[in-house]
Amino acid sequence: MFKKLFRVPPAGSIALVDTALGGASGAPFPPRDYLLIDAKLGEKRWSDEEALTERIAELVQRSISDRYPKPGTARRDAHPKSHGCVHAQFVVEPALPLSLAQGVFIPGVAYKAWLRFSNGNGDPTRPDSDGDGRGVGIKLMGVPGNKLLASEVHANTQDFVLITHPTFFADDPARYAALIERGTSASAFVAATAPLALGWKGMWIAKKMRSKRIASPLEERYWSTVPFSHGSGAGRRAVKYSIRPSVVGVSTIPRNPRPDYLREAMEAALATGEAHFDFLIQVRVEGMSVEDSRVEWLENEAPFVKVATIIIPSQIFNTPAQDAFGEALSFTPWHALPEHRPLGGVNRIRKVVYEAVSELRHRLNGTERREPTGDERFDPSE
Ligand code: HEM
């Protein structure tokens, strides 16, 4: 059976809310339990949240154990198909207003980064020509300071996890649990029953997200869809992230696409040149929801601002060793400084689920869970 994944803190600790998160008093962060709510930034607990979160984590773990019974073969439950894991530089803009110059966003600072591009669907053998939500995990290395995950408080990494759609199809844990009770995994989608679980709004987002066909992962825009804190103390704000490629629409989908043509498109582009993305932050304005991940924060009301550039240098990444490295990485929005604390119910579920499934995946594969340094290289010519 599955072990208990977390303990609900006593009611008193939840009541710490606002000031506990460095509110008006500017107090430092308290014990970093995800059940603490930042009411000032608009977080609210969903009813029965902890039990539902535990149920979701249990179902996702079971799905992995069932689908990958052979030792050493376990993959991610969602986003198992990688188009490539590439090294990059993440360079913060040389000048930023104080309100944006928070956490890792120190003007002019450059970080080593790893980026893993993926398809969202739970079936890693699905051809790239099928519609899908695509994802990217961005991991910055050399980030000093204590991090939010108690089990990895001294990790030197900050992650950003984004997909090719600006909203997420489920907001409350009950809907998400209902969805995966009907399917077999977090990313499996039983078309006939999904509307019952998600409602029309969530269903519409899921349909749009999952019908996307793309020509190259390096030419797409990606969004965090869910919000994050930016800064600490009284001046903290709620923000969302996005990355925008410098090149859009140059590539086209091949007429007879091969199953892995997205990997091939990345391989061809990086064999001869670099790829760049702008990293953008959108600061929430009054009235925008932190809990409802199904509603977009409109850009004409809250514009995205460039805070960094991601430079992916020319490289040979398509090697078994680099792929194995990428598959052994663990991305989670909770690999984060307190200044970038994930917000909202979806992120709170992810805290429990990502840690649990990463732990299970590595255990089943007999691989070590270790954050990278950024100095790893697998191309013998480098
Ligand atoms: C309750 C909501 C969610 C659940 C239960 C969930 C579940 C998962 C799981 C189980 C994984 C695999 C993790 C691993 O094995 O290490 C994963 C990966 C991923 N998820 Fe989610 N997810 C949720 C919400 C989201 C949202 C809102 C986004 C939008 C950005 C997202 C984007 C991704 C991406 C891009 C990856 C792949 C990261 C990588 O390359 O390792 N997920 N998710």
Side-chain angles (χ1 to χ4, degrees):
M1 265 324 278
F2 298 98
K3 63 180 175 181
K4 281 269 177 220
L5 294 162
F6 60 90
R7 295 267 162 266
V8 181
S13 64
I14 294 165
L16 285 172
V17 279
D18 194 346
T19 49
L21 288 165
S25 68
F29 275 72
R32 298 177 176 109
D33 197 294
Y34 86 103
L35 285 171
L36 291 172
I37 296 297
D38 193 340
K40 178 180 179 256
L41 292 187
E43 280 195 293
K44 293 187 184 82
R45 288 188 69 192
W46 296 87
S47 92
D48 220 9
E49 187 173 315
E50 53 273 37
L52 287 163
T53 299
E54 187 164 359
R55 179 73 185 139
I56 292 167
E58 211 174 280
L59 287 169
V60 176
Q61 289 182 98
R62 185 173 302 163
S63 144
I64 294 176
S65 304
D66 288 352
R67 280 194 296 157
Y68 303 106
K70 214 168 130 210
T73 61
R75 309 281 292 260
R76 286 164 173 78
D77 188 60
H79 296 262
K81 182 172 182 179
S82 165
H83 310 307
C85 182
V86 296
H87 62 83
Q89 285 266 306
F90 185 98
V91 185
V92 182
E93 286 290 276
L96 284 176
L98 194 59
S99 60
L100 291 180
Q102 302 289 331
V104 295
F105 298 99
I106 303 163
V109 164
Y111 299 92
K112 292 173 183 169
W114 282 107
L115 274 69
R116 176 181 180 273
F117 292 90
S118 57
N119 283 346
N121 194 280
D123 177 1
T125 64
R126 210 159 174 254
D128 295 341
S129 50
D130 286 3
D132 202 356
R134 324 286 166 161
V136 61
I138 303 170
K139 191 179 284 296
L140 311 189
M141 275 75 59
V143 178
N146 285 359
K147 306 302 184 304
L148 291 172
L149 282 182
S151 57
E152 295 178 271
V153 76
H154 300 304
N156 286 324
T157 48
Q158 166 73 46
D159 294 359
F160 301 103
V161 182
L162 302 100
I163 54 171
T164 48
H165 198 77
T167 49
F168 191 66
F169 51 79
D171 56 346
D172 78 82
R175 283 186 188 281
Y176 201 88
L179 178 73
I180 63 172
E181 293 274 6
R182 288 158 197 273
T184 51
S185 83
S187 58
F189 203 77
V190 183
T193 54
L196 297 174
L198 290 179
W200 68 266
K201 202 188 219 176
M203 185 56 205
W204 174 246
I205 295 170
K207 197 168 154 28
K208 275 185 81 175
M209 187 192 283
R210 295 168 54 84
S211 61
K212 195 168 174 74
R213 297 181 73 227
I214 67 170
S216 167
L218 301 175
E219 298 179 23
E220 286 298 317
R221 187 161 172 194
Y222 299 78
W223 290 263
S224 66
T225 75
V226 284
F228 296 81
S229 185
H230 198 69
S232 54
R236 70 193 185 280
R237 311 286 292 272
V239 302
K240 290 188 181 181
Y241 308 124
S242 176
I243 64 168
R244 184 169 50 207
S246 57
V247 170
V248 183
V250 166
S251 304
T252 50
I253 299 173
R255 198 167 296 168
N256 294 306
R258 289 203 286 231
D260 304 330
Y261 76 92
L262 292 178
R263 176 177 283 266
E264 291 165 8
M266 275 180 62
E267 199 177 7
L270 295 177
T272 51
E274 299 185 339
H276 292 196
F277 285 89
D278 288 344
F279 189 100
L280 313 166
I281 284 182
Q282 180 184 38
V283 181
R284 169 181 171 250
V285 297
E286 198 58 37
M288 291 177 168
S289 174
V290 155
E291 289 292 340
D292 192 347
S293 52
R294 301 167 308 163
V295 177
E296 189 174 356
W297 294 359
L298 295 177
E299 289 199 46
N300 58 3
E301 293 170 22
F304 276 97
V305 179
K306 177 175 177 180
V307 290
T309 308
I310 298 171
I311 303 160
I312 306 175
S314 177
Q315 59 191 281
I316 296 168
F317 66 85
N318 193 12
T319 65
Q322 192 150 330
D323 268 343
F325 167 77
E327 292 320 280
L329 290 178
S330 301
F331 292 90
T332 163
W334 291 85
H335 274 147
L337 287 168
E339 290 89 336
H340 307 306
R341 183 176 177 273
L343 295 174
V346 167
N347 267 332
R348 293 193 296 275
I349 296 171
R350 291 166 95 192
K351 177 161 193 231
V352 177
V353 172
Y354 283 44
E355 199 174 1
V357 299
S358 162
E359 198 271 320
L360 174 67
R361 177 160 62 86
H362 285 78
R363 185 153 39 84
L364 292 173
N365 290 341
T367 48
E368 198 187 341
R369 276 183 82 219
R370 187 169 16 134
E371 287 298 277
T373 62
D375 293 329
E376 303 81 3
R377 287 296 175 272
F378 305 93
D379 173 7
S381 66
E382 281 186 64

